């Protein structure tokens, strides 16, 4: 007796049928007959029937299989295995090296990708994941990771150089994108922390300034940390020296925003034979309009170009979407001021002893705060405040809505105007990197460090982790999930410890469920058939029970 299964495809649809059949002999021939159609049974039930038929002479032993083998959930395996192999594919493992320090640094990068936190939390993460077994590491604690940051800070330049050399073997880099951001501290003891222009809007908080250098595709090449009171343009000279001395680049173009590449930076680039693409400010645009370098009607074109003296080129464009946003904002500010005027007039009517001049001064201050005082006028007569809009002045203020001008020293033969425009827009990829590193996934802060070298190494770890996040994001772009959610799903794939009765135990990897299998397939990650654990375990020096307050 046996189960006979067949599949038929008709009209693009596959039909499966299962028959319970037996064989018999008649007139010297082997014939088959159907006993029952069991197609309505589930796949698990069909397998159970097959198992019972195979062991029909010893059914009493089937119930004792679970007593002969013990299965126990092992350490998390899927996430650390995936991130490790992506790091190998990107050349990060090779750049860090195979020494103990290199492997510890690689674990800090992997831990930052899987779960963000301090060095202490990275050790706790290794207690739950098969980190030592996948990376071939011996035991370590949080002190080892702090000391590893010292090594990483000293080796950062050589590691970045090796990564750069690996990347440029196939694709040479002839354009760099550069931008800076800041990250604030809650504490006061970091050696690099200082008061400065805080981009996070955290007034009264010390900060550090972080400069990120990317290639034209938005892939990070180098990261540098400066004291928190460093002005943006003052970080630029270090990048010029870096690409000339360390990377050996001769013909290169820097792309930076209008606050980054200014007069002094342009002179420095010219001295080194390098080129630039940047934008100019609104007052500079107005000055060039007054001088007749270009005219307003050029902004009506899709993309205009003006060749100026001294080899300068200006690329002009008006963004209609941004122009509409600015107009809507200006109208909303006017409506807000009109509402305040009406509210003040009502108050003056209801309170005869209220001072009309004082109310007028408050409204004038509000108009200046809203930056619309240039085209509105507020007057008071007979305890009534009147708001007048000067349409000519309003039209003049709106003439450059959505307009921007790019400036470069590249000739049209070196870079057409479309290329200049597109490369400047690529700065958005650097901004995306900052968002990922600061808030979206990697969360560069809080920074649980005080020493300058360790702070720089921490930022370097975040940059390397971002390269892995960026790669996984491209692999999983068709999935309806974030990289963080994908890694959490992979972390649920654990080793299984199999302990047969009277036999040595071993570890196996279960067949992943469909969702995890799809993630692995999209990232081209193959799981091993079996995996041997080294038995290495890590532990923290600091214990939570000792840190908890006694109730």
């Amino acid at each position: 007796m046996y189960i006979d299964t067949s599949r038929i495809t008709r009209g693009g649809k596959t039909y499966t049928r299962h028959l319970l059949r037996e064989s018999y002999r008649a007139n010297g021939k082997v014939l088959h007959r159907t006993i029952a159609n069991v197609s309505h049974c589930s796949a698990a039930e069909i397998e159970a029937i097959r198992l019972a038929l195979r062991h029909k002479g010893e059914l009493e032993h089937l119930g004792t299989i679970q007593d002969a083998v013990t299965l126990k959930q092992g350490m998390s395996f899927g996430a650390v295995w995936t991130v490790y192999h992506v790091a190998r594919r990107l050349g990060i493992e090779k750049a860090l090296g195979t020494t103990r320090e290199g492997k510890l640094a690689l674990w800090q990068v992997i831990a930052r990708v899987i779960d963000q936190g301090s060095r202490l939390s990275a050790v706790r993460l290794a207690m739950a994941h098969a980190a030592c077994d996948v990376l071939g590491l011996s035991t370590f604690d949080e002190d080892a990771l702090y000391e590893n940051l010292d090594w990483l800070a000293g080796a950062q330049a050589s590691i970045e150089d090796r990564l750069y050399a690996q990347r440029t073997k196939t694709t040479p880099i002839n354009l760099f994108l550069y931008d800076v951001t800041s990250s604030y501290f809650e504490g006061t003891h970091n050696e690099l922390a200082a008061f400065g222009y805080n981009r996070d809007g955290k007034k009264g908080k010390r900060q550090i300034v972080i400069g990120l250098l990317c290639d034209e595709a938005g892939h990070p090449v180098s990261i540098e940390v400066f004291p928190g009171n460093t002005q943006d343009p003052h970080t630029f000279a270090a990048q010029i020296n870096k690409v000339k001395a360390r990377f050996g680049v001769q013909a290169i173009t820097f792309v930076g925003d209008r606050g980054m590449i200014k007069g002094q930076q342009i002179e420095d680039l010219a001295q080194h034979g390098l080129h630039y693409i940047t934008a100019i400010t609104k007052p500079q645009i107005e000055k060039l309009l007054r001088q007749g370098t270009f005219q307003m009607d050029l902004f009506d074109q899709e993309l205009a170009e003006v060749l100026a003296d001294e080899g300068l080129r200006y690329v002009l464009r008006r963004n209609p979407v941004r122009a509409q946003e600015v107009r809507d904002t200006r109208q909303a500010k006017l409506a807000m001021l009109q509402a305040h005027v009406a509210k003040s007039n009502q108050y003056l009517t209801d309170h005869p002893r209220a001072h009309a001049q004082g109310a007028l001064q408050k409204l004038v201050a509000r108009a200046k705060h809203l930056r619309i005082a240039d085209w509105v006028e507020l007057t008071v007569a007979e305890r009534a405040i009147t708001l007048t809009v000067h349409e000519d002045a309003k039209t003049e203020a709106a003439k450059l809505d959505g307009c921007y001008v790019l400036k470069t020293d590249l000739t049209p033969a070196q870079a057409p105007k479309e290329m200049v425009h597109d490369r400047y827009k690529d700065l958005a990829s650097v901004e995306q990197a900052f968002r990922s590193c600061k808030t979206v996934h990697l969360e560069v802060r809080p920074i649980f460090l005080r020493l300058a070298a360790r702070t720089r190494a921490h930022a370097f770890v975040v940059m390397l982790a971002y390269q892995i996040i960026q790669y996984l994001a491209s692999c999983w772009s068709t999935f309806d999930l974030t990289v963080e959610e994908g890694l959490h799903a992979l972390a649920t794939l654990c080793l299984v410890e199999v302990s047969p009765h009277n036999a040595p135990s071993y570890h196996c990897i279960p067949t992943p469920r469909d969702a995890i299998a799809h993630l692995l397939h999209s990232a081209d990650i193959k799981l091993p058939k079996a995996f041997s654990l080294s038995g290495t375990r890590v532990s923290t020096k600091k214990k939570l029970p000792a840190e908890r307050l006694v109730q």
Side-chain angles (χ1 to χ4, degrees), residues 221-292:
V221 173
S222 178
I223 194 168
E224 194 164 349
V225 179
F226 303 90
N229 56 1
T230 306
Q231 296 181 8
D232 294 2
H234 293 170
T235 70
F236 193 72
Q239 313 311 312
I240 299 177
N241 297 330
K242 186 182 301 180
V243 299
K244 289 286 289 187
R246 280 176 41 194
F247 298 157
V249 177
Q250 299 303 321
I252 205 71
T253 301
F254 271 95
V255 182
D257 62 21
R258 54 180 60 86
M260 182 62 60
I261 301 180
K262 297 183 177 180
Q264 182 60 50
Q265 289 69 45
I266 291 175
E267 292 180 9
D268 293 342
L269 287 169
Q271 290 176 2
H272 290 84
L274 305 180
H275 301 285
Y276 66 89
I277 299 174
T278 187
I280 63 176
T281 63
K282 184 177 179 180
Q284 291 173 323
I285 295 175
E286 293 173 340
K287 180 180 178 180
L288 292 173
L289 285 170
R290 290 194 299 269
Q291 293 175 348

Side-chain angles (χ1 to χ4, degrees), residues 403-414:
C403 295
Y404 57 93
V405 177
L406 308 182
K407 176 182 175 182
T408 182
D409 63 343
L410 292 168
T411 64
Q414 291 174 315

Side-chain angles (χ1 to χ4, degrees), residues 287-447:
K287 180 180 178 180
L288 292 173
L289 285 170
R290 290 194 299 269
Q291 293 175 348
T293 304
F294 47 76
Q295 295 74 39
M296 279 300 304
D297 57 0
L298 292 175
F299 289 105
D300 297 332
Q301 301 179 25
E302 181 67 23
L303 193 65
E305 179 182 29
V306 173
L307 298 177
D309 297 333
E310 301 177 357
L312 293 181
R313 292 168 63 204
Y314 296 100
V315 177
L316 297 75
R317 184 174 186 267
R318 183 192 297 273
N319 185 337
V321 176
R322 178 58 183 161
Q324 186 60 47
E325 290 176 352
V326 175
R327 284 193 291 270
D328 293 343
T329 300
R330 184 181 294 110
Q331 198 59 35
K333 290 179 178 180
L334 177 60
M336 180 184 296
L337 185 61
Q338 290 172 336
H340 281 288
V341 170
K343 183 178 179 180
S344 297
N345 284 332
Q346 185 62 45
Y347 184 85
L348 293 174
T349 302
D350 297 341
H351 300 79
R353 300 180 62 181
H355 294 286
Q357 197 63 35
L360 177 65
Q361 292 176 356
K362 291 180 179 179
L363 291 172
V364 170
R366 184 172 292 276
K368 291 180 179 179
H369 178 73
L370 294 174
R371 298 183 180 181
I372 61 175
D374 293 339
W375 46 273
V376 299
E377 182 181 3
L378 292 161
T379 56
V380 59
E382 299 181 357
R383 294 181 58 78
I385 299 174
T386 303
L387 186 151
T388 304
V389 177
H390 298 293
E391 294 297 337
D392 292 343
K394 183 180 178 182
T395 301
E396 179 67 19
K399 72 177 183 179
L400 290 177
D401 287 354
C403 295
Y404 57 93
V405 177
L406 308 182
K407 176 182 175 182
T408 182
D409 63 343
L410 292 168
T411 64
Q414 291 174 315
K417 60 183 180 181
E418 292 80 9
M419 180 182 293
V420 172
H421 179 265
D422 292 343
R423 294 294 79 80
Y424 184 80
K425 300 296 285 185
D426 287 338
L427 276 176
S429 61
V430 186
E431 297 170 359
Q432 175 62 37
F434 279 141
R435 281 195 294 273
S436 296
C437 291
K438 291 177 66 174
T439 57
V440 177
H441 186 125
L442 296 174
E443 297 179 357
V444 69
R445 62 167 309 276
I447 303 172

